[in-house]
Amino acid sequence: MTPELILLIFRVLSGLLLLGFLGGLAWLIYRDMQVTAAALAEQERPYGRLRIIANEVEHPAVNTSYPLLPITSIGRAASNHIVLPDGFASAEHALIIRREGNWWLEDRGSRNGTLLNDVQLVGTAVISAGDVIGVGGTLLKLEL
């Protein structure tokens, strides 16, 4: 065997090893992207609904429903998931968060406060299906 043939075999084997390594790396990245996409899809999946049962303003109408996401913000600002054009609602009025299998309602320091089943909310509270949340002049019912 000549030295040129040995070098050629070594180069081919090195190239195959490099291609195998890069292929394995590409496969790991592909699997990671699949797992991340599945996690994002699960996060964006609605878990329930918030339905307007009473409203002092015309828009949004009674019986309008909104999907409940793991983090759902309620308020007057356009950046919220549920926008309530109510003069008594704060820009960032309340937040509903899913934590440890429970739904939590949190008042975001609103001027007029948040009601939970006609009781002023202090801090955070666990909420469940059928609870009524008061934000300004709007009442929202939690449907899971």
Side-chain angles (χ1 to χ4, degrees), residues 50-54 74 96 105 114-121 126-135 138-143:
L50 281 175
R51 184 174 307 280
I52 295 180
I53 57 172
I74 305 169
I96 298 175
L105 175 64
T114 302
L115 299 176
L116 176 58
N117 298 324
D118 292 327
V119 176
Q120 186 79 24
L121 179 67
V126 175
I127 56 176
S128 58
D131 283 345
V132 177
I133 301 166
V135 176
T138 305
L139 294 178
L140 300 131
K141 184 175 183 179
L142 180 63
E143 300 172 349

Side-chain angles (χ1 to χ4, degrees), residues 100-113:
E100 300 170 0
N102 293 318
W103 290 99
W104 294 79
L105 175 64
E106 175 185 338
D107 183 73
R108 304 289 289 168
S110 61
R111 184 179 58 218
N112 295 318

